[in-house]
Amino acid sequence: MNNVMYLLLAILFETSATTLLKFSEDFSKFLPTIASIILYILSFYCLSTCLKTIPIGITYAIWSGLGIVLVTVVGIIAFKQTPDWAAILGILLIILGVGVLNLFSKMTIH
């Protein structure tokens, strides 16, 4: 599997795990807690796998940045959380930063 696909899977697993933390209610609900732990393990496995060819700085910036964006979108849709203008600006800057890294960085996938 392409290591970029492992990175995308790591982001999706991490985002899902973080979402399930909300449903675990401080780890008092068994199924969301266990599912969250399993998804975090899968996320870290995929993250470590993609590090074979993608530089660690680029990997972590994309993983954390897109994870933040996706968790925020889940919060808006699933939990009716409303971001203020500062949150929206921050999210846009994160997206811009990930784009700049991918388009203009000299750190290449080897």
Side-chain angles (χ1 to χ4, degrees):
M1 185 184 301
N2 184 336
N3 285 315
V4 173
M5 290 302 298
Y6 276 111
L7 178 55
L8 294 175
L9 284 172
I11 294 166
L12 290 175
F13 289 144
E14 187 270 336
T15 302
S16 300
T18 301
T19 301
L20 286 171
L21 284 179
K22 176 87 169 151
F23 291 109
S24 76
E25 296 181 18
D26 297 329
F27 297 124
S28 65
K29 304 284 185 181
F30 181 74
L31 288 179
T33 298
I34 295 303
S36 182
I37 291 168
I38 290 168
L39 287 168
Y40 276 126
I41 291 168
L42 288 171
S43 176
F44 281 113
Y45 170 77
C46 290
L47 189 66
S48 68
T49 300
C50 74
L51 289 174
K52 293 176 185 174
T53 59
I54 305 173
I56 192 168
I58 299 294
T59 299
Y60 194 73
I62 294 170
W63 180 69
S64 60
L66 292 182
I68 290 167
V69 172
L70 287 176
V71 167
T72 302
V73 169
V74 168
I76 292 167
I77 294 169
F79 303 113
K80 308 297 185 227
Q81 298 170 346
T82 305
D84 59 12
W85 68 269
I88 293 168
L89 177 61
I91 297 288
L92 291 174
L93 289 171
I94 290 169
I95 293 169
L96 181 64
V98 169
V100 167
L101 278 172
N102 283 297
L103 295 173
F104 302 109
S105 176
K106 300 287 186 211
M107 297 178 75
T108 59
I109 297 173
H110 54 277

